[in-house]
Amino acid sequence: LEETLFLTVNIIDRFLARENVVRKKLQLAGVTAMLLACKYEEVSVPVVEDLILICDRAYTRADILEMERRIVNTLNFNMSVPTPYCFMRRFLKAAQSEKKLELLSFFMIELSLVE
């Protein structure tokens, strides 16, 4: 879901704002943030072994679970945050916008993810 992408980026941003992560572990932090976002938003969650394969076996199951614990503790278990996607969806619904405006709006907020 789109919400998962925005929540993943939000988790990464908030975690890295509070914790220093060595360059070698940035991929681990990203993949673990995606796991947490999937657990919060998705109906079916990827298994940890699939994430290990995505990382080309650079990390172990224990590494991912340890990083998950570290992220959740750093963020004080606060996973429920407003994202630009949620705001835009509500705003466009209230504005009764056309499909063309919706597509442009979501394109613009997706561009802002890298910022």
Side-chain angles (χ1 to χ4, degrees), residues 6-113:
F6 282 89
L7 184 58
T8 300
V9 172
N10 184 285
I11 290 170
I12 292 169
D13 283 345
R14 290 186 299 139
F15 177 68
L16 293 179
R18 294 183 183 177
E19 289 277 329
N20 289 326
V21 177
V22 293
R23 191 175 194 182
K24 247 172 76 170
K25 301 283 184 174
L26 278 177
Q27 183 182 24
L28 176 62
V31 110
T32 306
M34 185 175 66
L35 176 65
L36 286 167
C38 285
K39 285 181 177 181
Y40 193 79
E41 293 286 347
E42 301 284 337
V43 174
S44 69
V45 179
V47 293
V48 176
E49 285 71 25
D50 291 342
L51 299 176
I52 293 169
L53 290 175
I54 289 172
C55 295
D56 198 27
R57 300 186 193 279
Y59 308 107
T60 65
R61 179 179 175 81
D63 291 336
I64 292 176
L65 296 178
E66 172 60 27
M67 181 59 77
E68 182 179 25
R69 184 195 60 77
R70 189 172 160 198
I71 290 174
V72 169
N73 284 332
T74 300
L75 300 180
N76 297 321
F77 291 82
N78 186 12
M79 296 295 144
S80 183
V81 293
T83 61
Y85 182 85
C86 180
F87 170 78
M88 187 60 70
R89 196 176 61 214
R90 287 180 179 219
F91 177 78
L92 292 171
K93 185 176 181 180
Q96 298 174 348
S97 64
E98 297 176 1
K99 188 68 174 172
K100 199 172 191 180
L101 179 61
E102 288 180 22
L103 292 172
L104 178 63
S105 300
F106 288 127
F107 174 72
M108 295 298 287
I109 63 169
E110 284 178 18
L111 286 177
S112 72
L113 282 175

